[in-house]
Amino acid sequence: MPAHETVRVGLGARAYDILIGSGLLATAAARIKPLARRNRTIVVTDENVARHHLTALMDGFAAEEMEALPVILPPGEGQKSFAGLERLSDALLALEVERGDIITAFGGGVIGDLTGLAAGLLKRGVDFVQIPTTLLAQVDSSVGGKTAINARAGKNLVGLFHQPRLVIADTALLKTLPPREMRAGYAEIVKYGLLGDRAFFEWCEKKAASLLACDAAALNNAVTHSCRMKAAIVAEDEREQGRRALLNLGHTFGHALEAETGYSDRLLHGESVATGLVLAFALAAELQLASHDDARRVEAHIAACGLPARIAGIAGLSASPDALIAHMRHDKKAKDGKLVFIVPHGIGDARIHDDVPLDAVARVLSRSIAHPA
Ligand code: NAD
Ligand code: GLY
């Protein structure tokens, strides 16, 4: 058995483990089999993941003498739509999915979010496991039970909480991930340091290059540390009544940028988070809640990793501050019509604010639009 770390998400009757290590895919079938009442699973994946890794997973199920039925979707954020949900639901129903079955989500955040939502809805709730295959999915989207599709009004607006039974994060799968996707996932790792662990941010500054080059030790440490931080927050506040909102550091800005670029590969989710993290620190410095030194340090690290540190660096984006603020009004964190921002009071100390003056937000956006890094 390959060595691995285990992180427990402590949610009482719905608690589950996240297993993290290099080479774990070979053990996935044996770990999923005990969760399957009918000795079968439906594996939902996308064409890219299928090309690189589906045979290995299916061979594992065959070795366990377990039936595994693949559903292979086109890749891309476009699948997280009403049409995509309908197509997947029809496919799962055609395979006669039953309550008590186990569905395997094998892919990045798109596959995980869409499959988790379909699993939560079909037959009023079917169990599922996550085998995340992108860095972003391993450190964030596969953990915590948020599932969603996008709506015309904004990102992830139609969804539900549906926790997986198990998460298996095989960091060796990341060797086939395109470098741009690695960098995008890395933004969510940096986020954990910035929101609550300054020492981890400093570790990121030192180790980013080896991590992005797929060094196994750096990856396993970063994924484990990120999952530990996320699991602790989710266990305390599963439904985002309070502290879980901290995980959205950078996301209010990021979602507005994604909306403006049409949720397309012009700007990946993790890239929008990277720019959002820099903007969150710029806003904090503008409000004199964080130092300009911290804001500059965050911006320098994001830029050094090849991520977009400024809005001006996002190809083909020419949005005005007002247009971006209009997108922010659809944010799920908005309460009683007020925008809620996660504002860092320095590196490692993010807090929730519902009193941020929008003229300060507009000034920060204007500067980021006007000046490339
Ligand atoms: P993704 O799922 O689109 O994957 C990115 C690309 O990489 C796709 O083209 C995919 O086919 C390909 N790919 C995946 N694994 C691969 C591998 N091992 N080798 C080669 N190619 C591979 O994108 P993502 O960044 O994983 O996820 C983004 C989504 O996650 C967004 O929709 C975002 O809203 C969502 N998200 C959800 C949560 C949550 O808590 N549920 C958190 C963060 C992000
Ligand atoms: N990605 C934010 C959360 O899971 O709450």
Side-chain angles (χ1 to χ4, degrees):
M1 283 271 178
H4 68 272
E5 298 283 344
T6 303
V7 176
R8 184 89 177 148
V9 186
L11 286 171
R14 287 169 297 104
Y16 55 94
D17 286 337
I18 310 163
L19 311 180
I20 301 140
S22 179
L24 283 182
L25 190 67
T27 71
R31 295 178 193 281
I32 293 170
K33 189 177 168 82
L35 305 176
R37 196 170 49 86
R38 284 203 289 173
N39 197 34
R40 68 167 213 164
T41 184
I42 301 173
V43 178
V44 183
T45 190
D46 74 24
E47 287 158 6
N48 294 331
V49 179
R51 191 168 64 251
H52 292 293
H53 303 294
L54 187 59
T55 305
L57 180 62
M58 297 309 245
D59 285 352
F61 285 120
E64 292 295 324
E65 297 181 351
M66 185 173 168
E67 190 181 6
L69 306 164
V71 173
I72 303 175
L73 305 176
E77 186 73 27
Q79 294 305 307
K80 278 180 55 173
S81 58
F82 283 103
L85 178 65
E86 186 177 20
R87 275 192 300 272
L88 176 57
S89 301
D90 282 343
L92 293 169
L93 292 169
L95 294 170
E96 298 178 350
V97 69
E98 281 183 11
R99 218 185 268 171
D101 277 347
I102 189 103
I103 298 172
T104 300
F106 185 41
V110 166
I111 288 295
D113 279 13
L114 177 67
T115 307
L117 178 58
L121 291 172
L122 291 182
K123 309 279 171 93
R124 300 207 175 87
V126 178
D127 283 351
F128 80 121
V129 298
Q130 292 261 19
I131 308 182
T133 64
T134 63
L135 185 55
L136 181 139
Q138 295 191 351
V139 298
D140 192 358
S141 64
S142 66
V143 174
K146 279 189 182 175
T147 75
I149 54 172
N150 305 322
R152 203 167 289 124
K155 173 111 177 142
N156 292 333
L157 291 183
V158 178
L160 42 77
F161 288 94
H162 185 45
Q163 299 291 344
R165 296 280 309 278
L166 175 69
V167 180
I168 302 172
D170 179 350
T171 50
L173 301 181
L174 303 176
K175 285 181 190 153
T176 56
L177 194 65
R180 185 179 172 202
E181 298 287 352
M182 276 300 277
R183 290 195 294 274
Y186 177 72
E188 299 277 11
I189 293 178
V190 178
K191 177 190 80 177
Y192 290 105
L194 295 178
L195 75 87
D197 189 341
R198 191 177 180 101
F200 183 56
F201 175 71
E202 286 164 358
W203 180 90
C204 286
E205 286 181 310
K206 289 192 196 93
K207 295 287 182 181
S210 29
L211 189 153
L212 290 170
C214 261
D215 174 78
L219 270 178
N220 288 340
N221 184 55
V223 176
T224 304
H225 194 90
S226 301
C227 287
R228 275 207 189 104
M229 285 187 72
K230 180 153 185 181
I233 291 174
V234 168
E236 189 185 314
D237 177 25
E238 182 186 10
R239 299 248 156 183
E240 202 169 303
Q241 302 301 304
R243 241 170 86 69
R244 184 164 180 173
L246 296 177
L247 295 171
N248 293 320
L249 179 62
H251 284 58
T252 306
F253 289 109
H255 283 171
L257 296 170
E258 274 186 282
E260 200 57 39
T261 45
Y263 308 114
S264 66
D265 59 9
R266 283 165 63 202
L267 184 68
L268 302 179
H269 174 72
E271 292 171 337
S272 81
V273 170
T275 315
L277 293 172
V278 176
L279 287 165
F281 271 81
L283 177 63
E286 177 77 16
L287 299 173
Q288 299 185 332
L289 296 170
S291 70
H292 287 280
D293 277 355
D294 274 0
R296 275 191 290 268
R297 188 168 168 183
V298 172
E299 178 166 356
H301 183 58
I302 293 294
C305 292
L307 285 159
R310 296 276 175 104
I311 298 173
I314 301 169
L317 182 61
S318 58
S320 67
D322 284 351
L324 292 170
I325 290 173
H327 287 302
M328 291 176 194
R329 293 191 191 282
H330 293 295
D331 193 89
K332 291 188 290 315
K333 293 187 296 309
K335 270 196 192 134
D336 306 326
K338 277 197 204 157
L339 283 179
V340 176
F341 283 87
I342 312 305
V343 184
H345 291 221
I347 291 171
D349 183 14
R351 305 195 200 167
I352 302 166
H353 280 256
D354 64 4
D355 54 357
V356 171
L358 286 185
D359 55 342
V361 176
R363 280 195 299 279
V364 161
L365 288 169
S366 290
R367 285 199 292 271
S368 184
I369 289 167
H371 305 293

